[in-house]
PDB file of all heavy atoms in Angstrom:
ATOM      1  N   ALA A   1      88.897 -16.813 -91.671  1.00  0.00           N
ATOM      2  CA  ALA A   1      88.258 -15.489 -91.751  1.00  0.00           C
ATOM      3  C   ALA A   1      86.779 -15.617 -92.087  1.00  0.00           C
ATOM      4  O   ALA A   1      85.950 -14.914 -91.496  1.00  0.00           O
ATOM      5  CB  ALA A   1      88.968 -14.637 -92.824  1.00  0.00           C
ATOM      6  N   GLU A   2      86.448 -16.480 -93.019  1.00  0.00           N
ATOM      7  CA  GLU A   2      85.038 -16.682 -93.407  1.00  0.00           C
ATOM      8  C   GLU A   2      84.185 -17.191 -92.254  1.00  0.00           C
ATOM      9  O   GLU A   2      82.993 -16.926 -92.182  1.00  0.00           O
ATOM     10  CB  GLU A   2      84.962 -17.622 -94.647  1.00  0.00           C
ATOM     11  CG  GLU A   2      85.476 -16.972 -95.887  1.00  0.00           C
ATOM     12  CD  GLU A   2      84.618 -15.804 -96.372  1.00  0.00           C
ATOM     13  OE1 GLU A   2      83.440 -15.979 -96.676  1.00  0.00           O
ATOM     14  OE2 GLU A   2      85.164 -14.659 -96.382  1.00  0.00           O
ATOM     15  N   ASN A   3      84.816 -17.970 -91.369  1.00  0.00           N
ATOM     16  CA  ASN A   3      84.132 -18.546 -90.219  1.00  0.00           C
ATOM     17  C   ASN A   3      84.156 -17.599 -89.009  1.00  0.00           C
ATOM     18  O   ASN A   3      83.644 -17.962 -87.948  1.00  0.00           O
ATOM     19  CB  ASN A   3      84.710 -19.896 -89.842  1.00  0.00           C
ATOM     20  CG  ASN A   3      84.432 -20.958 -90.897  1.00  0.00           C
ATOM     21  OD1 ASN A   3      83.400 -20.928 -91.548  1.00  0.00           O
ATOM     22  ND2 ASN A   3      85.367 -21.845 -91.045  1.00  0.00           N
ATOM     23  N   GLY A   4      84.816 -16.442 -89.152  1.00  0.00           N
ATOM     24  CA  GLY A   4      84.903 -15.514 -88.020  1.00  0.00           C
ATOM     25  C   GLY A   4      85.892 -15.919 -86.988  1.00  0.00           C
ATOM     26  O   GLY A   4      85.894 -15.409 -85.852  1.00  0.00           O
ATOM     27  N   SER A   5      86.799 -16.861 -87.303  1.00  0.00           N
ATOM     28  CA  SER A   5      87.763 -17.321 -86.368  1.00  0.00           C
ATOM     29  C   SER A   5      89.030 -16.467 -86.359  1.00  0.00           C
ATOM     30  O   SER A   5      89.305 -15.782 -87.363  1.00  0.00           O
ATOM     31  CB  SER A   5      88.189 -18.777 -86.707  1.00  0.00           C
ATOM     32  OG  SER A   5      87.081 -19.624 -86.633  1.00  0.00           O
ATOM     33  N   LYS A   6      89.733 -16.497 -85.272  1.00  0.00           N
ATOM     34  CA  LYS A   6      90.989 -15.713 -85.164  1.00  0.00           C
ATOM     35  C   LYS A   6      92.058 -16.339 -86.040  1.00  0.00           C
ATOM     36  O   LYS A   6      92.205 -17.565 -86.055  1.00  0.00           O
ATOM     37  CB  LYS A   6      91.429 -15.669 -83.694  1.00  0.00           C
ATOM     38  CG  LYS A   6      92.637 -14.801 -83.452  1.00  0.00           C
ATOM     39  CD  LYS A   6      92.937 -14.759 -81.953  1.00  0.00           C
ATOM     40  CE  LYS A   6      93.914 -13.661 -81.655  1.00  0.00           C
ATOM     41  NZ  LYS A   6      95.247 -13.917 -81.651  1.00  0.00           N
ATOM     42  N   LEU A   7      92.827 -15.505 -86.738  1.00  0.00           N
ATOM     43  CA  LEU A   7      93.905 -16.002 -87.575  1.00  0.00           C
ATOM     44  C   LEU A   7      95.099 -16.312 -86.688  1.00  0.00           C
ATOM     45  O   LEU A   7      95.356 -15.625 -85.674  1.00  0.00           O
ATOM     46  CB  LEU A   7      94.302 -14.984 -88.624  1.00  0.00           C
ATOM     47  CG  LEU A   7      93.211 -14.504 -89.602  1.00  0.00           C
ATOM     48  CD1 LEU A   7      93.823 -13.584 -90.660  1.00  0.00           C
ATOM     49  CD2 LEU A   7      92.542 -15.696 -90.259  1.00  0.00           C
ATOM     50  N   PRO A   8      95.936 -17.289 -87.069  1.00  0.00           N
ATOM     51  CA  PRO A   8      97.112 -17.656 -86.257  1.00  0.00           C
ATOM     52  C   PRO A   8      98.288 -16.695 -86.470  1.00  0.00           C
ATOM     53  O   PRO A   8      99.331 -16.875 -85.852  1.00  0.00           O
ATOM     54  CB  PRO A   8      97.430 -19.067 -86.723  1.00  0.00           C
ATOM     55  CG  PRO A   8      96.995 -19.052 -88.153  1.00  0.00           C
ATOM     56  CD  PRO A   8      95.747 -18.221 -88.180  1.00  0.00           C
ATOM     57  N   VAL A   9      98.124 -15.725 -87.338  1.00  0.00           N
ATOM     58  CA  VAL A   9      99.205 -14.757 -87.653  1.00  0.00           C
ATOM     59  C   VAL A   9      98.549 -13.388 -87.857  1.00  0.00           C
ATOM     60  O   VAL A   9      97.436 -13.319 -88.378  1.00  0.00           O
ATOM     61  CB  VAL A   9      99.988 -15.234 -88.882  1.00  0.00           C
ATOM     62  CG1 VAL A   9      99.104 -15.305 -90.096  1.00  0.00           C
ATOM     63  CG2 VAL A   9     101.169 -14.348 -89.135  1.00  0.00           C
ATOM     64  N   LYS A  10      99.236 -12.337 -87.428  1.00  0.00           N
ATOM     65  CA  LYS A  10      98.752 -10.982 -87.652  1.00  0.00           C
ATOM     66  C   LYS A  10      99.006 -10.610 -89.083  1.00  0.00           C
ATOM     67  O   LYS A  10     100.105 -10.704 -89.570  1.00  0.00           O
ATOM     68  CB  LYS A  10      99.489 -10.023 -86.686  1.00  0.00           C
ATOM     69  CG  LYS A  10      99.168  -8.560 -86.897  1.00  0.00           C
ATOM     70  CD  LYS A  10     100.088  -7.757 -86.020  1.00  0.00           C
ATOM     71  CE  LYS A  10     100.383  -6.386 -86.569  1.00  0.00           C
ATOM     72  NZ  LYS A  10     100.923  -6.238 -87.878  1.00  0.00           N
ATOM     73  N   ILE A  11      97.956 -10.167 -89.799  1.00  0.00           N
ATOM     74  CA  ILE A  11      98.160  -9.709 -91.188  1.00  0.00           C
ATOM     75  C   ILE A  11      97.939  -8.243 -91.344  1.00  0.00           C
ATOM     76  O   ILE A  11      98.328  -7.659 -92.363  1.00  0.00           O
ATOM     77  CB  ILE A  11      97.299 -10.491 -92.221  1.00  0.00           C
ATOM     78  CG1 ILE A  11      95.835 -10.313 -91.934  1.00  0.00           C
ATOM     79  CG2 ILE A  11      97.671 -11.988 -92.203  1.00  0.00           C
ATOM     80  CD1 ILE A  11      94.970 -10.816 -93.064  1.00  0.00           C
ATOM     81  N   ASP A  12      97.320  -7.583 -90.354  1.00  0.00           N
ATOM     82  CA  ASP A  12      97.058  -6.154 -90.405  1.00  0.00           C
ATOM     83  C   ASP A  12      98.350  -5.394 -90.555  1.00  0.00           C
ATOM     84  O   ASP A  12      99.270  -5.518 -89.727  1.00  0.00           O
ATOM     85  CB  ASP A  12      96.315  -5.716 -89.153  1.00  0.00           C
ATOM     86  CG  ASP A  12      95.876  -4.282 -89.207  1.00  0.00           C
ATOM     87  OD1 ASP A  12      95.517  -3.794 -90.310  1.00  0.00           O
ATOM     88  OD2 ASP A  12      95.891  -3.599 -88.169  1.00  0.00           O
ATOM     89  N   GLY A  13      98.452  -4.610 -91.651  1.00  0.00           N
ATOM     90  CA  GLY A  13      99.683  -3.802 -91.885  1.00  0.00           C
ATOM     91  C   GLY A  13     100.810  -4.545 -92.529  1.00  0.00           C
ATOM     92  O   GLY A  13     101.885  -3.971 -92.776  1.00  0.00           O
ATOM     93  N   GLU A  14     100.648  -5.835 -92.807  1.00  0.00           N
ATOM     94  CA  GLU A  14     101.746  -6.662 -93.339  1.00  0.00           C
ATOM     95  C   GLU A  14     101.819  -6.637 -94.880  1.00  0.00           C
ATOM     96  O   GLU A  14     100.870  -6.306 -95.577  1.00  0.00           O
ATOM     97  CB  GLU A  14     101.556  -8.130 -92.913  1.00  0.00           C
ATOM     98  CG  GLU A  14     101.750  -8.371 -91.440  1.00  0.00           C
ATOM     99  CD  GLU A  14     103.174  -8.301 -90.953  1.00  0.00           C
ATOM    100  OE1 GLU A  14     104.123  -8.254 -91.818  1.00  0.00           O
ATOM    101  OE2 GLU A  14     103.379  -8.309 -89.741  1.00  0.00           O
ATOM    102  N   VAL A  15     103.001  -7.020 -95.353  1.00  0.00           N
ATOM    103  CA  VAL A  15     103.235  -7.348 -96.756  1.00  0.00           C
ATOM    104  C   VAL A  15     103.493  -8.841 -96.787  1.00  0.00           C
ATOM    105  O   VAL A  15     104.265  -9.355 -95.983  1.00  0.00           O
ATOM    106  CB  VAL A  15     104.466  -6.569 -97.307  1.00  0.00           C
ATOM    107  CG1 VAL A  15     104.831  -7.049 -98.723  1.00  0.00           C
ATOM    108  CG2 VAL A  15     104.230  -5.073 -97.288  1.00  0.00           C
ATOM    109  N   ILE A  16     102.820  -9.534 -97.690  1.00  0.00           N
ATOM    110  CA  ILE A  16     103.030 -10.967 -97.861  1.00  0.00           C
ATOM    111  C   ILE A  16     103.729 -11.272 -99.169  1.00  0.00           C
ATOM    112  O   ILE A  16     103.417 -10.705-100.215  1.00  0.00           O
ATOM    113  CB  ILE A  16     101.704 -11.743 -97.736  1.00  0.00           C
ATOM    114  CG1 ILE A  16     101.953 -13.241 -97.542  1.00  0.00           C
ATOM    115  CG2 ILE A  16     100.783 -11.454 -98.897  1.00  0.00           C
ATOM    116  CD1 ILE A  16     100.720 -13.993 -97.043  1.00  0.00           C
ATOM    117  N   TYR A  17     104.727 -12.189 -99.096  1.00  0.00           N
ATOM    118  CA  TYR A  17     105.453 -12.632-100.263  1.00  0.00           C
ATOM    119  C   TYR A  17     104.985 -14.036-100.618  1.00  0.00           C
ATOM    120  O   TYR A  17     105.024 -14.941 -99.777  1.00  0.00           O
ATOM    121  CB  TYR A  17     106.944 -12.634 -99.937  1.00  0.00           C
ATOM    122  CG  TYR A  17     107.852 -13.054-101.083  1.00  0.00           C
ATOM    123  CD1 TYR A  17     107.544 -12.830-102.384  1.00  0.00           C
ATOM    124  CD2 TYR A  17     109.107 -13.642-100.777  1.00  0.00           C
ATOM    125  CE1 TYR A  17     108.425 -13.202-103.438  1.00  0.00           C
ATOM    126  CE2 TYR A  17     109.964 -13.984-101.835  1.00  0.00           C
ATOM    127  CZ  TYR A  17     109.622 -13.792-103.131  1.00  0.00           C
ATOM    128  OH  TYR A  17     110.455 -14.171-104.143  1.00  0.00           O
ATOM    129  N   TYR A  18     104.535 -14.201-101.850  1.00  0.00           N
ATOM    130  CA  TYR A  18     104.062 -15.524-102.335  1.00  0.00           C
ATOM    131  C   TYR A  18     105.287 -16.327-102.728  1.00  0.00           C
ATOM    132  O   TYR A  18     105.791 -16.209-103.857  1.00  0.00           O
ATOM    133  CB  TYR A  18     103.147 -15.337-103.516  1.00  0.00           C
ATOM    134  CG  TYR A  18     101.945 -14.432-103.324  1.00  0.00           C
ATOM    135  CD1 TYR A  18     101.492 -13.614-104.352  1.00  0.00           C
ATOM    136  CD2 TYR A  18     101.268 -14.398-102.102  1.00  0.00           C
ATOM    137  CE1 TYR A  18     100.391 -12.806-104.177  1.00  0.00           C
ATOM    138  CE2 TYR A  18     100.163 -13.558-101.934  1.00  0.00           C
ATOM    139  CZ  TYR A  18      99.709 -12.759-102.981  1.00  0.00           C
ATOM    140  OH  TYR A  18      98.616 -11.982-102.788  1.00  0.00           O
ATOM    141  N   VAL A  19     105.790 -17.176-101.816  1.00  0.00           N
ATOM    142  CA  VAL A  19     107.028 -17.882-102.024  1.00  0.00           C
ATOM    143  C   VAL A  19     107.009 -19.204-101.335  1.00  0.00           C
ATOM    144  O   VAL A  19     106.357 -19.362-100.282  1.00  0.00           O
ATOM    145  CB  VAL A  19     108.257 -17.052-101.565  1.00  0.00           C
ATOM    146  CG1 VAL A  19     108.202 -16.798-100.038  1.00  0.00           C
ATOM    147  CG2 VAL A  19     109.579 -17.637-101.994  1.00  0.00           C
ATOM    148  N   GLY A  20     107.711 -20.174-101.860  1.00  0.00           N
ATOM    149  CA  GLY A  20     107.960 -21.472-101.227  1.00  0.00           C
ATOM    150  C   GLY A  20     109.421 -21.771-101.512  1.00  0.00           C
ATOM    151  O   GLY A  20     109.742 -22.434-102.519  1.00  0.00           O
ATOM    152  N   PRO A  21     110.338 -21.283-100.693  1.00  0.00           N
ATOM    153  CA  PRO A  21     111.780 -21.363-101.027  1.00  0.00           C
ATOM    154  C   PRO A  21     112.329 -22.790-100.988  1.00  0.00           C
ATOM    155  O   PRO A  21     111.790 -23.686-100.305  1.00  0.00           O
ATOM    156  CB  PRO A  21     112.447 -20.538 -99.923  1.00  0.00           C
ATOM    157  CG  PRO A  21     111.495 -20.673 -98.763  1.00  0.00           C
ATOM    158  CD  PRO A  21     110.113 -20.718 -99.363  1.00  0.00           C
ATOM    159  N   ALA A  22     113.427 -22.979-101.701  1.00  0.00           N
ATOM    160  CA  ALA A  22     114.200 -24.192-101.644  1.00  0.00           C
ATOM    161  C   ALA A  22     114.961 -24.241-100.345  1.00  0.00           C
ATOM    162  O   ALA A  22     115.097 -23.209 -99.662  1.00  0.00           O
ATOM    163  CB  ALA A  22     115.127 -24.278-102.838  1.00  0.00           C
ATOM    164  N   PRO A  23     115.501 -25.398 -99.971  1.00  0.00           N
ATOM    165  CA  PRO A  23     116.296 -25.480 -98.738  1.00  0.00           C
ATOM    166  C   PRO A  23     117.505 -24.484 -98.766  1.00  0.00           C
ATOM    167  O   PRO A  23     118.085 -24.229 -99.842  1.00  0.00           O
ATOM    168  CB  PRO A  23     116.804 -26.937 -98.696  1.00  0.00           C
ATOM    169  CG  PRO A  23     115.791 -27.667 -99.522  1.00  0.00           C
ATOM    170  CD  PRO A  23     115.335 -26.729-100.574  1.00  0.00           C
ATOM    171  N   ALA A  24     117.833 -23.980 -97.600  1.00  0.00           N
ATOM    172  CA  ALA A  24     118.921 -22.987 -97.488  1.00  0.00           C
ATOM    173  C   ALA A  24     120.266 -23.644 -97.739  1.00  0.00           C
ATOM    174  O   ALA A  24     120.540 -24.765 -97.290  1.00  0.00           O
ATOM    175  CB  ALA A  24     118.903 -22.354 -96.116  1.00  0.00           C
ATOM    176  N   LYS A  25     121.135 -22.928 -98.416  1.00  0.00           N
ATOM    177  CA  LYS A  25     122.535 -23.302 -98.567  1.00  0.00           C
ATOM    178  C   LYS A  25     123.299 -22.699 -97.400  1.00  0.00           C
ATOM    179  O   LYS A  25     122.857 -21.738 -96.789  1.00  0.00           O
ATOM    180  CB  LYS A  25     123.070 -22.761 -99.894  1.00  0.00           C
ATOM    181  CG  LYS A  25     122.413 -23.390-101.107  1.00  0.00           C
ATOM    182  CD  LYS A  25     122.987 -22.840-102.394  1.00  0.00           C
ATOM    183  CE  LYS A  25     122.270 -23.445-103.567  1.00  0.00           C
ATOM    184  NZ  LYS A  25     122.800 -22.962-104.851  1.00  0.00           N
ATOM    185  N   PRO A  26     124.464 -23.257 -97.063  1.00  0.00           N
ATOM    186  CA  PRO A  26     125.247 -22.708 -95.982  1.00  0.00           C
ATOM    187  C   PRO A  26     125.509 -21.232 -96.177  1.00  0.00           C
ATOM    188  O   PRO A  26     125.812 -20.740 -97.262  1.00  0.00           O
ATOM    189  CB  PRO A  26     126.580 -23.479 -96.033  1.00  0.00           C
ATOM    190  CG  PRO A  26     126.197 -24.773 -96.686  1.00  0.00           C
ATOM    191  CD  PRO A  26     125.094 -24.413 -97.660  1.00  0.00           C
ATOM    192  N   GLY A  27     125.266 -20.446 -95.102  1.00  0.00           N
ATOM    193  CA  GLY A  27     125.491 -18.994 -95.139  1.00  0.00           C
ATOM    194  C   GLY A  27     124.266 -18.212 -95.558  1.00  0.00           C
ATOM    195  O   GLY A  27     124.313 -16.959 -95.586  1.00  0.00           O
ATOM    196  N   TYR A  28     123.149 -18.882 -95.875  1.00  0.00           N
ATOM    197  CA  TYR A  28     121.928 -18.159 -96.314  1.00  0.00           C
ATOM    198  C   TYR A  28     120.785 -18.502 -95.341  1.00  0.00           C
ATOM    199  O   TYR A  28     120.739 -19.615 -94.784  1.00  0.00           O
ATOM    200  CB  TYR A  28     121.514 -18.573 -97.726  1.00  0.00           C
ATOM    201  CG  TYR A  28     122.440 -18.034 -98.786  1.00  0.00           C
ATOM    202  CD1 TYR A  28     123.537 -18.786 -99.242  1.00  0.00           C
ATOM    203  CD2 TYR A  28     122.238 -16.770 -99.331  1.00  0.00           C
ATOM    204  CE1 TYR A  28     124.392 -18.265-100.213  1.00  0.00           C
ATOM    205  CE2 TYR A  28     123.087 -16.278-100.331  1.00  0.00           C
ATOM    206  CZ  TYR A  28     124.166 -17.038-100.742  1.00  0.00           C
ATOM    207  OH  TYR A  28     125.004 -16.554-101.710  1.00  0.00           O
ATOM    208  N   ALA A  29     119.873 -17.553 -95.185  1.00  0.00           N
ATOM    209  CA  ALA A  29     118.703 -17.789 -94.348  1.00  0.00           C
ATOM    210  C   ALA A  29     117.686 -18.739 -95.005  1.00  0.00           C
ATOM    211  O   ALA A  29     117.041 -19.549 -94.335  1.00  0.00           O
ATOM    212  CB  ALA A  29     118.006 -16.464 -94.003  1.00  0.00           C
ATOM    213  N   VAL A  30     117.603 -18.667 -96.365  1.00  0.00           N
ATOM    214  CA  VAL A  30     116.731 -19.506 -97.145  1.00  0.00           C
ATOM    215  C   VAL A  30     117.472 -19.899 -98.434  1.00  0.00           C
ATOM    216  O   VAL A  30     118.439 -19.261 -98.817  1.00  0.00           O
ATOM    217  CB  VAL A  30     115.386 -18.793 -97.485  1.00  0.00           C
ATOM    218  CG1 VAL A  30     114.623 -18.440 -96.217  1.00  0.00           C
ATOM    219  CG2 VAL A  30     115.621 -17.596 -98.334  1.00  0.00           C
ATOM    220  N   GLY A  31     116.905 -20.885 -99.102  1.00  0.00           N
ATOM    221  CA  GLY A  31     117.428 -21.207-100.405  1.00  0.00           C
ATOM    222  C   GLY A  31     116.813 -20.307-101.452  1.00  0.00           C
ATOM    223  O   GLY A  31     116.150 -19.305-101.138  1.00  0.00           O
ATOM    224  N   PRO A  32     117.053 -20.628-102.742  1.00  0.00           N
ATOM    225  CA  PRO A  32     116.432 -19.797-103.776  1.00  0.00           C
ATOM    226  C   PRO A  32     114.950 -19.574-103.480  1.00  0.00           C
ATOM    227  O   PRO A  32     114.206 -20.453-103.136  1.00  0.00           O
ATOM    228  CB  PRO A  32     116.650 -20.643-105.047  1.00  0.00           C
ATOM    229  CG  PRO A  32     117.913 -21.417-104.742  1.00  0.00           C
ATOM    230  CD  PRO A  32     117.823 -21.744-103.278  1.00  0.00           C
ATOM    231  N   ALA A  33     114.542 -18.277-103.579  1.00  0.00           N
ATOM    232  CA  ALA A  33     113.212 -17.878-103.097  1.00  0.00           C
ATOM    233  C   ALA A  33     112.539 -16.991-104.147  1.00  0.00           C
ATOM    234  O   ALA A  33     112.290 -15.830-103.910  1.00  0.00           O
ATOM    235  CB  ALA A  33     113.378 -17.136-101.763  1.00  0.00           C
ATOM    236  N   GLY A  34     112.201 -17.579-105.265  1.00  0.00           N
ATOM    237  CA  GLY A  34     111.525 -16.846-106.326  1.00  0.00           C
ATOM    238  C   GLY A  34     110.033 -16.730-106.084  1.00  0.00           C
ATOM    239  O   GLY A  34     109.446 -17.550-105.335  1.00  0.00           O
ATOM    240  N   PRO A  35     109.404 -15.755-106.670  1.00  0.00           N
ATOM    241  CA  PRO A  35     107.988 -15.518-106.474  1.00  0.00           C
ATOM    242  C   PRO A  35     107.067 -16.610-107.157  1.00  0.00           C
ATOM    243  O   PRO A  35     107.436 -17.167-108.176  1.00  0.00           O
ATOM    244  CB  PRO A  35     107.732 -14.155-107.158  1.00  0.00           C
ATOM    245  CG  PRO A  35     108.781 -14.119-108.257  1.00  0.00           C
ATOM    246  CD  PRO A  35     110.005 -14.820-107.658  1.00  0.00           C
ATOM    247  N   THR A  36     105.952 -16.837-106.512  1.00  0.00           N
ATOM    248  CA  THR A  36     104.936 -17.752-107.047  1.00  0.00           C
ATOM    249  C   THR A  36     103.914 -16.917-107.861  1.00  0.00           C
ATOM    250  O   THR A  36     103.704 -15.748-107.567  1.00  0.00           O
ATOM    251  CB  THR A  36     104.208 -18.441-105.875  1.00  0.00           C
ATOM    252  OG1 THR A  36     105.154 -19.204-105.137  1.00  0.00           O
ATOM    253  CG2 THR A  36     103.067 -19.310-106.328  1.00  0.00           C
ATOM    254  N   SER A  37     103.314 -17.539-108.831  1.00  0.00           N
ATOM    255  CA  SER A  37     102.277 -16.872-109.634  1.00  0.00           C
ATOM    256  C   SER A  37     101.121 -16.437-108.740  1.00  0.00           C
ATOM    257  O   SER A  37     100.471 -17.222-108.073  1.00  0.00           O
ATOM    258  CB  SER A  37     101.742 -17.826-110.720  1.00  0.00           C
ATOM    259  OG  SER A  37     102.766 -18.190-111.611  1.00  0.00           O
ATOM    260  N   SER A  38     100.877 -15.155-108.721  1.00  0.00           N
ATOM    261  CA  SER A  38      99.913 -14.524-107.800  1.00  0.00           C
ATOM    262  C   SER A  38      98.491 -14.907-108.038  1.00  0.00           C
ATOM    263  O   SER A  38      97.692 -14.902-107.105  1.00  0.00           O
ATOM    264  CB  SER A  38     100.099 -13.018-107.856  1.00  0.00           C
ATOM    265  OG  SER A  38     101.403 -12.662-107.533  1.00  0.00           O
ATOM    266  N   TYR A  39      98.120 -15.195-109.277  1.00  0.00           N
ATOM    267  CA  TYR A  39      96.704 -15.521-109.561  1.00  0.00           C
ATOM    268  C   TYR A  39      96.198 -16.666-108.685  1.00  0.00           C
ATOM    269  O   TYR A  39      95.007 -16.778-108.409  1.00  0.00           O
ATOM    270  CB  TYR A  39      96.485 -15.841-111.037  1.00  0.00           C
ATOM    271  CG  TYR A  39      96.983 -17.197-111.428  1.00  0.00           C
ATOM    272  CD1 TYR A  39      96.128 -18.306-111.348  1.00  0.00           C
ATOM    273  CD2 TYR A  39      98.269 -17.406-111.946  1.00  0.00           C
ATOM    274  CE1 TYR A  39      96.591 -19.583-111.691  1.00  0.00           C
ATOM    275  CE2 TYR A  39      98.728 -18.644-112.278  1.00  0.00           C
ATOM    276  CZ  TYR A  39      97.893 -19.733-112.156  1.00  0.00           C
ATOM    277  OH  TYR A  39      98.332 -20.968-112.493  1.00  0.00           O
ATOM    278  N   ARG A  40      97.100 -17.510-108.198  1.00  0.00           N
ATOM    279  CA  ARG A  40      96.696 -18.638-107.372  1.00  0.00           C
ATOM    280  C   ARG A  40      96.108 -18.167-106.006  1.00  0.00           C
ATOM    281  O   ARG A  40      95.458 -18.919-105.372  1.00  0.00           O
ATOM    282  CB  ARG A  40      97.882 -19.580-107.161  1.00  0.00           C
ATOM    283  CG  ARG A  40      98.294 -20.222-108.448  1.00  0.00           C
ATOM    284  CD  ARG A  40      99.594 -20.930-108.403  1.00  0.00           C
ATOM    285  NE  ARG A  40      99.785 -21.754-107.258  1.00  0.00           N
ATOM    286  CZ  ARG A  40     100.929 -22.399-107.021  1.00  0.00           C
ATOM    287  NH1 ARG A  40     101.944 -22.305-107.834  1.00  0.00           N
ATOM    288  NH2 ARG A  40     101.033 -23.150-105.938  1.00  0.00           N
ATOM    289  N   MET A  41      96.386 -16.958-105.637  1.00  0.00           N
ATOM    290  CA  MET A  41      95.897 -16.400-104.389  1.00  0.00           C
ATOM    291  C   MET A  41      94.688 -15.456-104.576  1.00  0.00           C
ATOM    292  O   MET A  41      94.142 -14.940-103.634  1.00  0.00           O
ATOM    293  CB  MET A  41      96.996 -15.596-103.649  1.00  0.00           C
ATOM    294  CG  MET A  41      97.913 -16.447-102.782  1.00  0.00           C
ATOM    295  SD  MET A  41      98.751 -17.850-103.518  1.00  0.00           S
ATOM    296  CE  MET A  41      99.981 -17.090-104.558  1.00  0.00           C
ATOM    297  N   ASP A  42      94.297 -15.206-105.843  1.00  0.00           N
ATOM    298  CA  ASP A  42      93.269 -14.229-106.133  1.00  0.00           C
ATOM    299  C   ASP A  42      91.948 -14.485-105.400  1.00  0.00           C
ATOM    300  O   ASP A  42      91.315 -13.538-104.956  1.00  0.00           O
ATOM    301  CB  ASP A  42      93.027 -14.112-107.637  1.00  0.00           C
ATOM    302  CG  ASP A  42      94.085 -13.299-108.344  1.00  0.00           C
ATOM    303  OD1 ASP A  42      95.032 -12.783-107.711  1.00  0.00           O
ATOM    304  OD2 ASP A  42      93.960 -13.138-109.588  1.00  0.00           O
ATOM    305  N   LYS A  43      91.540 -15.736-105.284  1.00  0.00           N
ATOM    306  CA  LYS A  43      90.245 -16.028-104.622  1.00  0.00           C
ATOM    307  C   LYS A  43      90.266 -15.550-103.166  1.00  0.00           C
ATOM    308  O   LYS A  43      89.215 -15.136-102.642  1.00  0.00           O
ATOM    309  CB  LYS A  43      89.997 -17.534-104.650  1.00  0.00           C
ATOM    310  CG  LYS A  43      88.773 -17.965-103.891  1.00  0.00           C
ATOM    311  CD  LYS A  43      88.602 -19.466-103.955  1.00  0.00           C
ATOM    312  CE  LYS A  43      87.391 -19.877-103.109  1.00  0.00           C
ATOM    313  NZ  LYS A  43      87.156 -21.327-103.099  1.00  0.00           N
ATOM    314  N   TYR A  44      91.402 -15.589-102.543  1.00  0.00           N
ATOM    315  CA  TYR A  44      91.514 -15.277-101.098  1.00  0.00           C
ATOM    316  C   TYR A  44      91.923 -13.837-100.780  1.00  0.00           C
ATOM    317  O   TYR A  44      91.712 -13.370 -99.707  1.00  0.00           O
ATOM    318  CB  TYR A  44      92.528 -16.247-100.475  1.00  0.00           C
ATOM    319  CG  TYR A  44      92.340 -17.665-100.891  1.00  0.00           C
ATOM    320  CD1 TYR A  44      93.352 -18.307-101.656  1.00  0.00           C
ATOM    321  CD2 TYR A  44      91.208 -18.366-100.588  1.00  0.00           C
ATOM    322  CE1 TYR A  44      93.173 -19.606-102.063  1.00  0.00           C
ATOM    323  CE2 TYR A  44      91.046 -19.702-101.030  1.00  0.00           C
ATOM    324  CZ  TYR A  44      92.047 -20.324-101.771  1.00  0.00           C
ATOM    325  OH  TYR A  44      91.866 -21.631-102.169  1.00  0.00           O
ATOM    326  N   THR A  45      92.511 -13.206-101.780  1.00  0.00           N
ATOM    327  CA  THR A  45      93.143 -11.869-101.521  1.00  0.00           C
ATOM    328  C   THR A  45      92.214 -10.769-101.068  1.00  0.00           C
ATOM    329  O   THR A  45      92.505 -10.093-100.128  1.00  0.00           O
ATOM    330  CB  THR A  45      93.941 -11.454-102.793  1.00  0.00           C
ATOM    331  OG1 THR A  45      94.989 -12.430-103.001  1.00  0.00           O
ATOM    332  CG2 THR A  45      94.538 -10.072-102.602  1.00  0.00           C
ATOM    333  N   PRO A  46      91.032 -10.572-101.711  1.00  0.00           N
ATOM    334  CA  PRO A  46      90.178  -9.507-101.229  1.00  0.00           C
ATOM    335  C   PRO A  46      89.829  -9.587 -99.745  1.00  0.00           C
ATOM    336  O   PRO A  46      89.781  -8.597 -99.042  1.00  0.00           O
ATOM    337  CB  PRO A  46      88.959  -9.584-102.147  1.00  0.00           C
ATOM    338  CG  PRO A  46      89.474 -10.145-103.409  1.00  0.00           C
ATOM    339  CD  PRO A  46      90.509 -11.175-102.935  1.00  0.00           C
ATOM    340  N   THR A  47      89.536 -10.783 -99.294  1.00  0.00           N
ATOM    341  CA  THR A  47      89.226 -10.990 -97.847  1.00  0.00           C
ATOM    342  C   THR A  47      90.380 -10.557 -96.977  1.00  0.00           C
ATOM    343  O   THR A  47      90.212  -9.866 -95.985  1.00  0.00           O
ATOM    344  CB  THR A  47      88.846 -12.443 -97.575  1.00  0.00           C
ATOM    345  OG1 THR A  47      87.632 -12.747 -98.324  1.00  0.00           O
ATOM    346  CG2 THR A  47      88.598 -12.677 -96.091  1.00  0.00           C
TER     347      THR A  47
END
């Protein structure tokens, strides 16, 4: 964004979940998927 380049994903209108899930168990789409501490994204969020 800072370089004026196109993003590889559409973010306009989206909700983003700060997560890095564990591997999926049988019958689940993802493994345990708890939230990440949001302050780690603060530098990038306003942009």
Side-chain angles (χ1 to χ4, degrees):
E2 289 295 297
N3 292 326
S5 300
K6 185 175 192 269
L7 301 185
V9 62
K10 175 187 151 302
I11 62 167
D12 186 35
E14 293 287 349
V15 173
I16 193 165
Y17 182 29
Y18 305 144
V19 65
K25 295 180 181 180
Y28 290 91
V30 299
T36 298
S37 297
S38 300
Y39 75 88
R40 294 167 46 184
M41 275 55 72
D42 281 0
K43 174 180 178 181
Y44 316 114
T45 297
T47 297

